[in-house]
Amino acid sequence: MTEATFSPTALSAPRRALWCRTTLTIYGLVMIVFGVVALLAPLLATYAASVTFGAVLLASGLLGAAMLILDWRTEAFVWRAVWSVIAIIGGLCIVIHPWPGALALTLVLGASLIAQGLVAVTHAFAHRGHKNCPWGQMAFAGVVSALLGALLIWALPHAGIVVPGVFLALNLVTFGLSLIALAFAKRGVAS
């Protein structure tokens, strides 16, 4: 069998549609499972998100510092160096002390949920005229995401350590449900 037969672009239109629906359904189910697990263990979800955020911030700072070492004549050297130092120190602080870092994560998570929700709602309304597009489910998931983000920021600092994990879980579940709705809508288009 050649490598081209595994590529979704090399498949016939009905098989490509089936592959797309299957992929969206599996992706949606995985997001729902992750959401349910995070809902059952919100402290663990908050801890994991905080450590991941710290590790990404630390890696960003280290990579930025390495790039500056390799190209020390770059434009805005001082600003890039300052960013790298801040990212390294912030990332180390969050990785070493993830629970206090959860407060910063709560603010970042709230802002990103609001942004994700606004983008999803805008995308849904932009596609509401398309036939068989589940724009209503997409808009609902976006509104839920934006509301969760706003509630999270509003509840600071009393949001506690559990709330980010619960909100992240609910966001994962609604995102997974919207992916599955999209997969079923694609089934109607292919028929």
Short mmCIF file of all heavy atoms in Angstrom, two decimals, residues 49 53 104-120 141-142 144-150 152-153 164 167-168 171:
data_model
loop_
_atom_site.label_atom_id
_atom_site.label_comp_id
_atom_site.label_asym_id
_atom_site.label_seq_id
_atom_site.Cartn_x
_atom_site.Cartn_y
_atom_site.Cartn_z
N ALA A 49 -2.53 22.12 35.07
CA ALA A 49 -2.55 23.31 34.22
C ALA A 49 -1.52 24.33 34.69
O ALA A 49 -0.84 24.96 33.88
CB ALA A 49 -3.95 23.91 34.21
N PHE A 53 1.62 25.48 32.45
CA PHE A 53 1.80 26.89 32.16
C PHE A 53 3.20 27.35 32.55
O PHE A 53 3.89 28.05 31.80
CB PHE A 53 0.72 27.72 32.87
CG PHE A 53 0.87 29.20 32.70
CD1 PHE A 53 0.62 29.79 31.47
CD2 PHE A 53 1.23 30.01 33.76
CE1 PHE A 53 0.74 31.16 31.30
CE2 PHE A 53 1.36 31.37 33.61
CZ PHE A 53 1.12 31.96 32.37
N ALA A 104 -2.16 33.28 39.21
CA ALA A 104 -1.81 33.88 37.92
C ALA A 104 -2.45 33.09 36.78
O ALA A 104 -2.95 33.66 35.81
CB ALA A 104 -0.30 33.92 37.74
N LEU A 105 -2.44 31.78 36.93
CA LEU A 105 -3.05 30.93 35.91
C LEU A 105 -4.55 31.20 35.83
O LEU A 105 -5.13 31.20 34.74
CB LEU A 105 -2.80 29.45 36.23
CG LEU A 105 -3.50 28.46 35.31
CD1 LEU A 105 -2.91 28.55 33.91
CD2 LEU A 105 -3.38 27.06 35.85
N THR A 106 -5.17 31.44 36.97
CA THR A 106 -6.60 31.73 36.99
C THR A 106 -6.92 32.96 36.15
O THR A 106 -7.85 32.97 35.36
CB THR A 106 -7.08 31.92 38.44
OG1 THR A 106 -6.79 30.74 39.18
CG2 THR A 106 -8.57 32.19 38.50
N LEU A 107 -6.10 33.99 36.30
CA LEU A 107 -6.29 35.21 35.51
C LEU A 107 -6.07 34.94 34.02
O LEU A 107 -6.89 35.34 33.18
CB LEU A 107 -5.36 36.31 36.00
CG LEU A 107 -5.50 37.66 35.33
CD1 LEU A 107 -6.89 38.22 35.54
CD2 LEU A 107 -4.46 38.61 35.87
N VAL A 108 -5.00 34.23 33.70
CA VAL A 108 -4.70 33.91 32.29
C VAL A 108 -5.77 33.00 31.71
O VAL A 108 -6.23 33.19 30.58
CB VAL A 108 -3.29 33.27 32.16
CG1 VAL A 108 -3.06 32.72 30.78
CG2 VAL A 108 -2.23 34.29 32.52
N LEU A 109 -6.21 32.00 32.49
CA LEU A 109 -7.25 31.09 32.03
C LEU A 109 -8.55 31.84 31.77
O LEU A 109 -9.21 31.63 30.75
CB LEU A 109 -7.47 29.97 33.04
CG LEU A 109 -8.55 28.95 32.72
CD1 LEU A 109 -8.24 28.20 31.43
CD2 LEU A 109 -8.72 27.97 33.87
N GLY A 110 -8.90 32.74 32.68
CA GLY A 110 -10.12 33.53 32.49
C GLY A 110 -10.06 34.36 31.23
O GLY A 110 -11.01 34.38 30.44
N ALA A 111 -8.95 35.05 31.02
CA ALA A 111 -8.80 35.87 29.81
C ALA A 111 -8.82 35.03 28.55
O ALA A 111 -9.45 35.40 27.54
CB ALA A 111 -7.50 36.68 29.89
N SER A 112 -8.16 33.86 28.58
CA SER A 112 -8.15 33.02 27.37
C SER A 112 -9.52 32.40 27.10
O SER A 112 -9.91 32.23 25.95
CB SER A 112 -7.07 31.94 27.47
OG SER A 112 -7.37 31.03 28.50
N LEU A 113 -10.27 32.07 28.16
CA LEU A 113 -11.62 31.54 27.95
C LEU A 113 -12.53 32.61 27.34
O LEU A 113 -13.34 32.32 26.46
CB LEU A 113 -12.22 31.03 29.27
CG LEU A 113 -11.68 29.71 29.79
CD1 LEU A 113 -12.24 29.42 31.19
CD2 LEU A 113 -11.98 28.57 28.85
N ILE A 114 -12.38 33.84 27.79
CA ILE A 114 -13.17 34.93 27.21
C ILE A 114 -12.81 35.11 25.74
O ILE A 114 -13.69 35.20 24.87
CB ILE A 114 -12.94 36.25 27.98
CG1 ILE A 114 -13.58 36.16 29.37
CG2 ILE A 114 -13.51 37.44 27.22
CD1 ILE A 114 -13.22 37.31 30.29
N ALA A 115 -11.51 35.12 25.44
CA ALA A 115 -11.07 35.29 24.05
C ALA A 115 -11.55 34.13 23.18
O ALA A 115 -12.06 34.33 22.07
CB ALA A 115 -9.55 35.41 23.99
N GLN A 116 -11.41 32.90 23.68
CA GLN A 116 -11.85 31.72 22.92
C GLN A 116 -13.35 31.79 22.67
O GLN A 116 -13.83 31.49 21.58
CB GLN A 116 -11.50 30.44 23.66
CG GLN A 116 -12.00 29.18 22.98
CD GLN A 116 -11.81 27.94 23.83
OE1 GLN A 116 -11.19 27.99 24.89
NE2 GLN A 116 -12.34 26.83 23.37
N GLY A 117 -14.10 32.18 23.69
CA GLY A 117 -15.55 32.27 23.55
C GLY A 117 -15.96 33.31 22.53
O GLY A 117 -16.85 33.07 21.71
N LEU A 118 -15.33 34.48 22.57
CA LEU A 118 -15.66 35.54 21.61
C LEU A 118 -15.33 35.12 20.18
O LEU A 118 -16.10 35.38 19.25
CB LEU A 118 -14.94 36.83 21.98
CG LEU A 118 -15.39 37.48 23.29
CD1 LEU A 118 -14.53 38.70 23.61
CD2 LEU A 118 -16.86 37.84 23.26
N VAL A 119 -14.20 34.44 20.00
CA VAL A 119 -13.83 33.95 18.67
C VAL A 119 -14.84 32.91 18.20
O VAL A 119 -15.28 32.92 17.04
CB VAL A 119 -12.39 33.40 18.66
CG1 VAL A 119 -12.10 32.62 17.39
CG2 VAL A 119 -11.39 34.52 18.83
N ALA A 120 -15.23 32.00 19.09
CA ALA A 120 -16.19 30.96 18.71
C ALA A 120 -17.55 31.55 18.33
O ALA A 120 -18.17 31.13 17.35
CB ALA A 120 -16.35 29.95 19.85
N ALA A 141 -21.41 27.05 22.78
CA ALA A 141 -20.12 26.69 23.38
C ALA A 141 -19.26 27.94 23.59
O ALA A 141 -18.58 28.07 24.61
CB ALA A 141 -19.38 25.68 22.51
N GLY A 142 -19.31 28.87 22.64
CA GLY A 142 -18.55 30.11 22.78
C GLY A 142 -19.07 30.97 23.92
O GLY A 142 -18.28 31.55 24.68
N VAL A 144 -20.73 29.93 26.58
CA VAL A 144 -20.37 29.25 27.84
C VAL A 144 -18.91 29.53 28.18
O VAL A 144 -18.58 29.85 29.33
CB VAL A 144 -20.64 27.73 27.75
CG1 VAL A 144 -20.01 26.99 28.91
CG2 VAL A 144 -22.14 27.46 27.70
N SER A 145 -18.04 29.43 27.20
CA SER A 145 -16.62 29.68 27.41
C SER A 145 -16.37 31.11 27.90
O SER A 145 -15.64 31.33 28.87
CB SER A 145 -15.84 29.41 26.12
OG SER A 145 -14.47 29.65 26.31
N ALA A 146 -16.98 32.08 27.23
CA ALA A 146 -16.79 33.48 27.63
C ALA A 146 -17.36 33.76 29.01
O ALA A 146 -16.74 34.47 29.81
CB ALA A 146 -17.44 34.40 26.59
N LEU A 147 -18.53 33.19 29.33
CA LEU A 147 -19.11 33.37 30.66
C LEU A 147 -18.25 32.75 31.75
O LEU A 147 -18.07 33.34 32.82
CB LEU A 147 -20.53 32.80 30.71
CG LEU A 147 -21.61 33.60 30.00
CD1 LEU A 147 -22.94 32.85 30.03
CD2 LEU A 147 -21.75 34.97 30.63
N LEU A 148 -17.72 31.55 31.48
CA LEU A 148 -16.84 30.91 32.46
C LEU A 148 -15.60 31.76 32.71
O LEU A 148 -15.16 31.92 33.85
CB LEU A 148 -16.45 29.51 31.99
CG LEU A 148 -17.55 28.45 32.01
CD1 LEU A 148 -17.06 27.17 31.38
CD2 LEU A 148 -18.04 28.20 33.41
N GLY A 149 -15.04 32.31 31.64
CA GLY A 149 -13.87 33.17 31.80
C GLY A 149 -14.19 34.42 32.60
O GLY A 149 -13.41 34.82 33.48
N ALA A 150 -15.31 35.04 32.31
CA ALA A 150 -15.71 36.25 33.04
C ALA A 150 -15.97 35.94 34.52
O ALA A 150 -15.55 36.70 35.40
CB ALA A 150 -16.96 36.86 32.39
N LEU A 152 -14.66 33.54 36.23
CA LEU A 152 -13.37 33.20 36.83
C LEU A 152 -12.62 34.47 37.23
O LEU A 152 -12.09 34.56 38.34
CB LEU A 152 -12.55 32.37 35.85
CG LEU A 152 -11.33 31.65 36.38
CD1 LEU A 152 -11.71 30.73 37.52
CD2 LEU A 152 -10.70 30.84 35.27
N ILE A 153 -12.57 35.45 36.35
CA ILE A 153 -11.89 36.71 36.67
C ILE A 153 -12.64 37.47 37.75
O ILE A 153 -12.04 38.03 38.67
CB ILE A 153 -11.70 37.55 35.39
CG1 ILE A 153 -10.68 36.87 34.48
CG2 ILE A 153 -11.26 38.96 35.73
CD1 ILE A 153 -10.52 37.51 33.12
N PRO A 164 -10.48 26.89 38.84
CA PRO A 164 -9.90 26.76 37.49
C PRO A 164 -10.02 25.36 36.91
O PRO A 164 -10.31 25.21 35.72
CB PRO A 164 -8.43 27.14 37.70
CG PRO A 164 -8.42 27.97 38.92
CD PRO A 164 -9.51 27.44 39.78
N PHE A 167 -13.75 24.89 35.83
CA PHE A 167 -14.05 25.66 34.63
C PHE A 167 -13.36 25.07 33.41
O PHE A 167 -13.94 25.02 32.33
CB PHE A 167 -13.67 27.11 34.81
CG PHE A 167 -14.67 27.92 35.60
CD1 PHE A 167 -15.73 27.31 36.26
CD2 PHE A 167 -14.55 29.28 35.69
CE1 PHE A 167 -16.64 28.05 36.97
CE2 PHE A 167 -15.47 30.04 36.41
CZ PHE A 167 -16.52 29.41 37.05
N LEU A 168 -12.13 24.64 33.58
CA LEU A 168 -11.42 23.99 32.48
C LEU A 168 -12.16 22.72 32.05
O LEU A 168 -12.31 22.45 30.86
CB LEU A 168 -9.99 23.67 32.91
CG LEU A 168 -9.06 23.12 31.85
CD1 LEU A 168 -8.89 24.11 30.71
CD2 LEU A 168 -7.70 22.79 32.46
N ASN A 171 -15.29 23.65 30.12
CA ASN A 171 -14.90 24.13 28.79
C ASN A 171 -14.54 22.96 27.87
O ASN A 171 -14.93 22.94 26.71
CB ASN A 171 -13.74 25.12 28.90
CG ASN A 171 -13.39 25.72 27.57
OD1 ASN A 171 -14.23 26.24 26.87
ND2 ASN A 171 -12.13 25.64 27.20
#
